[in-house]
Amino acid sequence: PPASTSSDEEDDSDASTKPMRSEKKKNPASLFQTGGDPPKEKKTKKKAPPKAAESEEETPETPQKNSNKKGKGKKSKKVKEERSPSPIIEVDNLEEFVLRPAPQGVTVKCRVTRDKKGMDRGLYPTYYLHLDNDKKVFLLAGRKRKKSKTSNYLISIDPTDLSRGGENFIGKLRSNLMGTKFTVFDNGANPDRANANWSNVRQELSAVVYETNVLGFKGPRKMTVIIPGMNADNERVPIRPRNDNDGLLMRWQNKNMDSVIELHNKAPVWNDETQSYVLNFHGRVTHASVKNFQIVHDSDPDYIVMQFGRVADDAFTMDYNYPLCAVQAFAIALSSFDGKLACE
C-alpha cells in the first residue's frame, strides 16, 4: 500500500504541528523567496499551514464533504484519511489561473486522467487535468508530439485543441535526448523571435532531472525539480533564457542559484511488511506505483510542494501548493509518464 499506517502517522503529526504554530515554525513561503528582501524580514505574509497534507483538516472553513470518494477511501480506517475533495477554487480566467501560483495555505487538489483510446493514443495518450471536486473543472490537457526527436509534450487550456499554433497552447515540456532531463516552458516566443526588450520571449517555468540509481530505474526514483524563485511580492521571478546556456538546467548545473530554487522528491521508506517503499499520502493515493512521488524543499520536508500518485489504472491525483502553478505541476507529472522512465 502506498500510504504508511495512518494511526501513528496522524497522532504523531497532530502532536508535532499544533504546538509548532506558536513556536517559530518556518513560514513555507520564505523557502521560495529569492531576490528582494531577505526572507527573515518578511513578517507580513499570511502563514501557510506547516503541513500541506493537514491543511484541510485543520482549517475549519473548508467543507468536509467527501462526496467524490467513489469507494477510493475504503482502505482508510479513519474518516479524515479518505480522499477529500479540492477546496473550493474559483477558476474565472483559465489561462491566468493555470499560470498563477497556488494561494498560500491552500492545497489545490487535482486529478490526472490518461486516455489511451483511439488510433495512436496507445503511443501518444492524452492526459487531462481537472480539479478533484464535484464539478470536475477542466484545467489542462497534454499530449506528446509525434514527430519530435526528443520527448515533447504540448500543454493546452482546451481539451480538444492540442496544436502548437492554436491560441490554447499554454506551455510545453521538452526532454533531453536521454529522456532524463526535462524543461517546462510557457507559451512565449522562441529567443530567435525576440522583440526589442525581450518581453515576448518564453519563460522557463520548471526543470526536472531524474537520476538513475544503481538498479537503473528500478526502485525509488530520485527527482530534482528546479523552479524560478519568488520575489518579495510572491510573484514568480521571470526566467527568460537568451540561449541554451542560460536556462534553469544550466544554472543548476553551474550552481548559479540566485533566482532559482531546488526541490527534491521525498525519499520513500522501505516497509518490511509490504516489501515495498512507502510514503504517507494521507489518503490521496490508493495504488502503489513507481510513479507516486512527493516534492519537498530540503529545509522543510513536511511542507509538500506537490504530490502525485495513482488511484486507478489511468487515474492519478496531483496536489500542489504554493509556489507551484498548475502548468508547472502538470508538466512535472507528465515528465514522470515519459517512456524512458517507465521501466517499472
Side-chain angles (χ1 to χ4, degrees), residues 107-123:
T107 301
V108 183
K109 297 185 175 182
C110 307
R111 192 177 171 91
V112 175
T113 42
R114 174 170 54 187
D115 178 7
K116 294 178 176 167
K117 299 180 192 71
M119 274 241 315
D120 53 20
R121 293 268 175 93
L123 275 174

Side-chain angles (χ1 to χ4, degrees), residues 67-251:
S67 47
N68 69 337
K69 285 199 301 292
K70 295 212 174 87
K72 290 284 187 288
K74 279 201 293 275
K75 296 188 183 150
S76 51
K77 297 187 186 70
K78 290 195 167 191
V79 181
K80 88 184 225 184
E81 280 287 276
E82 286 173 352
R83 217 178 88 222
S84 47
S86 184
I88 291 161
I89 286 164
E90 290 304 318
V91 182
D92 33 4
N93 175 332
L94 186 55
E95 188 169 353
E96 263 172 40
F97 176 82
V98 295
L99 289 166
R100 196 167 53 221
Q104 289 181 39
V106 174
T107 301
V108 183
K109 297 185 175 182
C110 307
R111 192 177 171 91
V112 175
T113 42
R114 174 170 54 187
D115 178 7
K116 294 178 176 167
K117 299 180 192 71
M119 274 241 315
D120 53 20
R121 293 268 175 93
L123 275 174
Y124 301 99
T126 307
Y127 298 93
Y128 299 103
L129 182 70
H130 291 82
L131 282 179
D132 194 2
N133 54 19
D134 294 344
K135 290 204 181 86
K136 302 274 181 287
V137 178
F138 168 81
L139 298 177
L140 293 166
R143 194 170 86 184
K144 198 170 187 170
R145 297 180 74 179
K146 291 176 195 153
K147 297 185 173 67
S148 205
K149 288 195 283 295
T150 59
S151 295
N152 205 321
Y153 291 79
L154 284 185
I155 299 173
S156 166
I157 49 173
D158 181 329
T160 59
D161 172 21
L162 282 141
S163 61
R164 173 72 179 84
E167 54 196 45
N168 297 303
F169 168 70
I170 190 94
K172 71 172 187 178
L173 169 75
R174 191 178 71 193
S175 83
N176 63 350
L177 280 166
M178 289 279 296
T180 51
K181 292 179 181 163
F182 294 80
T183 305
V184 184
F185 301 93
D186 71 1
N187 55 2
N190 187 305
D192 307 342
R193 294 191 282 280
N195 59 13
N197 64 358
W198 217 260
S199 60
N200 66 335
V201 170
R202 63 187 180 199
Q203 292 186 40
E204 288 194 6
L205 298 179
S206 173
V208 190
V209 179
Y210 289 89
E211 271 171 66
T212 49
N213 51 26
V214 227
L215 305 162
F217 277 112
K218 286 191 167 53
R221 296 180 183 167
K222 282 196 171 154
M223 295 167 72
T224 300
V225 174
I226 304 123
I227 56 171
M230 307 299 275
N231 66 18
D233 298 326
N234 299 325
E235 289 160 352
R236 195 181 305 116
V237 176
I239 302 244
R240 290 195 171 89
R242 299 187 170 227
N243 54 49
D244 288 344
N245 296 324
D246 185 31
L248 289 171
L249 284 169
M250 286 308 286
R251 292 180 188 210

Side-chain angles (χ1 to χ4, degrees), residues 308-325:
F308 177 78
R310 177 173 269 159
V311 290
D313 284 350
D314 286 309
F316 304 79
T317 49
M318 183 196 93
D319 303 345
Y320 66 95
N321 278 295
Y322 180 87
L324 288 191
C325 67

